[in-house]
Amino acid sequence: MKIESRLAQIGSIKEPVTGAVSFPVYQSTAFRHPRLGESTGFDYARTKSPTRTVLEEAAAELESGDAGFACSSGMAALTTVFSLFSQGDHLLVSLDLYGGTYRLLEKIMSRFGVTASYVDTNDIDGLSELCTPATKAILIETPTNPLMMITDIERVCAWAKSKGLLTIVDNTLLTPFFQRPIELGADIIVHSATKYLGGHNDVLAGLIVTKGAELSAQMAFLHNSLGAVLGPQDSWLLMRGMKTLALRMERHQANATAIANWLLKHEAIEDVYYPALPHHPGHDVQSRQSSGNTGIFSFRLKNAAYIEPILRHIKLIAFAESLGGVESLMTYPAVQTHADIPLEIRQKIGVDDRLLRFSVGIEHADDLIADLAQAFEAARRELGEA
C-alpha cells in the first residue's frame, strides 16, 4: 500500500467494537484486570495506553521500524534516546545542530558524564579521527537546521556499523513521507512531531522509532521508566495531523521551491540554503536518498540592517519560533532557536546575524511572495535605499 493511503488510514480500522473510523481518545490511566494474573494488555497508561499505542504502531510502520514510542516533546524523545548511554560514553553529533539538542548535550547530559564531539557528518575521515573506544553512537540531522546541510545516510550508517556504533537520525524536517533512514541503515529515528507530523502548531510531541528487538526492548524500558510519554488527547491530535501529511508535504515543498527561487533573484539576498536548489551542497545526495524536500529553508541577507524591519513588516508570515505548521513562520536563529550555541560555533557554521529561517506554510505561494516583497520594500525605505 502506498504511503499516502497508509497515512490517511491511521487508526481507522483499529476499533473493533464500534467500528469508529476516528480512533477514540482513551483518557483512562488505569485498566481493570479480568482476574489475577491476567491483563487486557493495558495496565497503566504510562506504560501503555490504547490511543498512544495506535499512534506508536503507525509511526513504526511508516518509518520501517520495529517499535514506536510517543513522547511529550521532541526534546523528551531525545532525552529518552540519550538515556541509552552511560557515564564515560561519547557521541558524534552533526555540526550544524538544533540549539535545543546542543543545550541538552552540553548542559544536562554532560553532568552525567556523556560527552559529544561536533563534526561534519559527511566527513568520514573527521568522524574516524574523533571516534574513540568510548564512542557509542552518531547523531545525524539531515537536512540540518538551519543551514540545510545534507548527510549521506547510507554511507555514514555503513561506517558506523563497521565501528560498532548506533546511528540515530533526526528525521523531523523530511518525515517518513520523503525520507526513511532505517531503510538506509539507521538504528533509531527521532522526530519533533510538533513540527510536520502534527502540522498545525497545536500539539507538542516527540516520536522515537527503533529497529531490532533488543534495541526496541531497551527503549521500551527507558520510555516507561522515564515517563515522558504522550497523553491520549495529544496522541489523537498527532494522528489526526498525520492523516494529511502527504498533502501538506507536497504543498510545503512546492511553495518553498517557488519562494526560494524568487529569493535567489532578489538584490538583497546573498544566498539561499535549500536542498531542492541545484547549487545547494548535497543536492545530489538528497535527490538520491529522499523522494522530496522539506518546506523549510534559510536565506542570508547582504545587510544585517534588513533583519529587524523585515521581521516587523511581514504580515501574512508570522515572526515566531517553530516550524512545520500550515501557517508560515519566520525565525531569526541567532537569537531564537540557536541562542544556546556559543557565538564562535554559530559563526563557524554560518548561523550569523544575517541569516533568517523560513518555515513555508500551505498558503498560496503568490501571497507569501507578495508579503516578502512588501517587507523587503519597507526595509529599503526605512534604510534610505528606496
Side-chain angles (χ1 to χ4, degrees), residues 36 75 200 359:
L36 185 63
M75 297 314 301
H200 293 78
S359 175

Side-chain angles (χ1 to χ4, degrees), residues 67-355:
F69 307 91
C71 302
S72 52
S73 69
M75 297 314 301
L78 279 169
T79 301
T80 303
V81 170
F82 289 158
S83 297
L84 286 166
F85 308 112
S86 304
Q87 185 176 18
D89 286 348
H90 172 251
L91 308 178
L92 296 169
V93 183
S94 289
L95 181 62
D96 179 28
L97 188 69
Y98 167 57
T101 306
Y102 181 88
R103 180 178 60 231
L104 174 61
L105 287 166
E106 294 300 316
K107 300 293 180 67
I108 298 174
M109 297 306 300
S110 63
R111 291 164 47 201
F112 299 99
V114 176
T115 60
S117 296
Y118 304 92
V119 60
D120 177 355
T121 47
N122 268 319
D123 181 2
I124 298 297
D125 290 339
L127 289 170
S128 297
E129 185 178 336
L130 290 169
C131 187
T132 74
T135 306
K136 303 300 181 185
I138 179 168
L139 170 64
I140 301 168
E141 283 188 14
T142 184
T144 60
N145 171 12
L147 292 173
M148 304 287 112
M149 296 179 182
I150 305 300
T151 294
D152 187 328
I153 298 172
E154 189 168 25
R155 181 168 176 255
V156 174
C157 286
W159 174 84
K161 281 181 169 52
S162 76
K163 300 291 185 180
L165 309 181
L166 288 173
T167 304
I168 307 159
V169 179
D170 187 327
N171 201 30
T172 297
L173 298 190
L174 282 173
T175 81
F177 182 66
F178 281 144
Q179 178 174 273
R180 290 175 291 282
I182 283 176
E183 295 177 4
L184 299 171
D187 301 293
I188 302 173
I189 305 300
V190 291
H191 285 273
S192 174
T194 308
K195 311 303 193 296
Y196 286 109
L197 293 179
H200 293 78
N201 292 317
D202 61 4
V203 59
L204 187 68
L207 286 176
I208 305 165
V209 175
T210 51
K211 186 68 176 178
E214 182 178 351
L215 183 58
S216 298
Q218 288 178 293
M219 198 64 66
F221 172 80
L222 292 170
H223 191 231
N224 179 53
S225 299
L226 293 169
V229 301
L230 195 62
Q233 183 66 41
D234 287 340
S235 294
W236 183 87
L237 281 170
L238 185 52
M239 283 193 286
R240 185 179 67 170
M242 289 168 65
K243 284 174 176 285
T244 61
L245 180 66
L247 297 171
R248 290 186 286 104
M249 291 306 292
E250 292 283 10
R251 183 59 174 262
H252 286 304
Q253 174 183 230
N255 279 356
T257 301
I259 297 166
N261 278 296
W262 179 83
L263 282 168
L264 270 179
K265 301 171 186 175
H266 199 284
E267 60 184 6
I269 300 298
E270 181 175 290
D271 205 355
V272 179
Y273 302 89
Y274 186 48
L277 299 174
H279 79 278
H280 186 85
H283 169 79
D284 292 342
V285 172
Q286 171 81 352
S287 299
R288 184 176 71 247
Q289 69 188 15
S290 308
S291 59
N293 284 282
T294 184
I296 180 176
F297 64 82
S298 295
F299 60 94
R300 194 182 312 280
L301 292 149
K302 293 176 181 177
N303 185 353
Y306 267 66
I307 295 288
E308 193 281 329
I310 286 173
L311 294 176
R312 180 161 35 86
H313 284 287
I314 50 176
K315 298 175 181 176
L316 179 60
I317 304 162
F319 174 31
E321 296 190 38
S322 199
L323 60 96
V326 294
E327 302 92 356
S328 291
L329 306 178
M330 189 81 75
T331 302
Y332 190 27
V335 300
Q336 291 179 291
T337 56
H338 289 65
D340 285 297
I341 297 179
L343 177 62
E344 61 272 18
I345 297 177
R346 292 202 311 266
Q347 290 179 334
K348 179 181 178 180
I349 62 176
V351 183
D352 60 19
D353 62 353
R354 294 185 291 128
L355 190 76

